[in-house]
Amino acid sequence: MDRVTGRIRVVLVDDDHLVRAGLRLLLTGDDDVEVVGEAGDGLEAAHVIATTEPDVVLMDIRMPRCDGLVATERELRRRPDLAVLVLTTFEGDDMVLGALQAGARGFLLKDTPPHELVEAVRTVAAGRSILSPSVLDRVIAFAAQPRPTREADGAEERRLLALLTERETEVALAVADGASNAQIAADLFVGLATVKTHIGHVYEKFGVENRVQLALVVHAARR
């Protein structure tokens, strides 16, 4: 965050200049956000991010020369605290899952309503993950598709699932099915804070950082 203005510093990375222009127009209309740089691909992004030191990067996936997955992995190795928010049309893209597994804090479709996109920038800048239920459903559906070339058979994921307590397992399964924290709390007759505590324990035992990564473990274990 800019120490002088208090705004969230954002870099836009997308090979479509019209998309970047639209995002810039949308974000600069908010008093809390400042767009400090743009890049047309992952290679250009490396220089822009290094020189502008943003809080959040809006990262496209499919780009020439250097795609969003490679760029996300590279930038998070350099700055683990950087918030990468992946933007995509999501057409059955393995790289979307790879970006999340690499540590991206959020995943949104490019047709996300403007107010939700601005709120997502605030959310990831605050250190939290953002995954809308519709996006989570798509990721889970894609992850659940058979993979002829899949190397793992789910044994490791089943081992991780076995580490959970009975209540943690219930929470993990609910998250994997796309339930919100409020829904889980209501279904299990527990408080919202208790649900958040259980999810934190599951993250730690699975070695994951967000709900999509958790869901991928659960769905792999179910195979």
Side-chain angles (χ1 to χ4, degrees):
M1 185 174 294
D2 191 296
R3 294 180 180 178
V4 177
T5 66
R7 292 178 176 175
I8 300 167
R9 297 168 58 83
V10 177
V11 162
L12 310 175
V13 183
D14 196 296
D15 63 326
D16 189 330
H17 71 278
L18 292 178
V19 170
R20 296 201 308 273
L23 289 172
R24 175 180 283 276
L25 182 63
L26 186 160
L27 293 173
T28 52
D30 190 277
D31 293 338
D32 295 334
V33 179
E34 178 183 9
V35 177
V36 296
E38 298 181 17
D41 59 47
L43 288 181
E44 187 181 357
H47 172 71
V48 174
I49 292 171
T51 55
T52 61
E53 298 185 349
D55 305 298
V56 177
V57 175
L58 296 187
M59 183 76 74
D60 188 21
I61 288 292
R62 296 285 184 179
M63 295 182 291
R65 297 202 303 169
C66 178
D67 62 52
L69 175 56
V70 172
T72 295
E73 293 176 334
R74 180 194 64 223
E75 297 306 325
L76 290 177
R77 282 197 303 269
R78 294 175 178 175
R79 259 191 62 189
D81 63 319
L82 181 64
V84 176
L85 182 56
V86 175
L87 292 177
T88 182
T89 54
F90 195 85
E91 297 175 349
D93 200 332
D94 273 308
M95 291 199 294
V96 170
L97 303 179
L100 290 170
Q101 291 167 334
R105 287 190 198 164
F107 168 37
L108 295 177
L109 301 179
K110 286 185 176 179
D111 61 359
T112 296
H115 69 281
E116 291 185 14
L117 178 59
V118 173
E119 187 57 36
V121 169
R122 292 197 189 100
T123 297
V124 298
R128 302 188 301 273
S129 297
I130 180 71
L131 297 162
S132 68
S134 61
V135 169
L136 181 58
D137 288 344
R138 295 188 188 201
V139 173
I140 289 172
F142 179 67
Q145 294 174 3
R147 299 289 199 282
T149 59
R150 180 179 173 85
E151 296 178 2
D153 59 3
E156 175 60 17
E157 289 83 358
R158 286 191 289 274
R159 183 190 70 79
L160 292 174
L161 198 60
L163 298 176
L164 306 182
T165 65
E166 181 177 352
R167 182 47 58 92
E168 288 169 354
T169 299
E170 292 175 329
V171 170
L173 294 177
V175 169
D177 289 335
S180 67
N181 287 359
Q183 290 172 320
I184 297 171
D187 290 343
L188 299 182
F189 302 101
V190 298
L192 196 58
T194 300
V195 172
K196 291 179 180 178
T197 297
H198 286 314
I199 290 176
H201 290 162
V202 175
Y203 282 2
E204 183 177 355
K205 291 180 179 180
F206 282 4
V208 301
E209 298 180 352
N210 60 50
R211 297 171 86 89
V212 164
Q213 292 172 353
L214 184 159
L216 294 178
V217 172
V218 171
H219 280 271
R222 285 171 163 173
R223 292 178 182 174

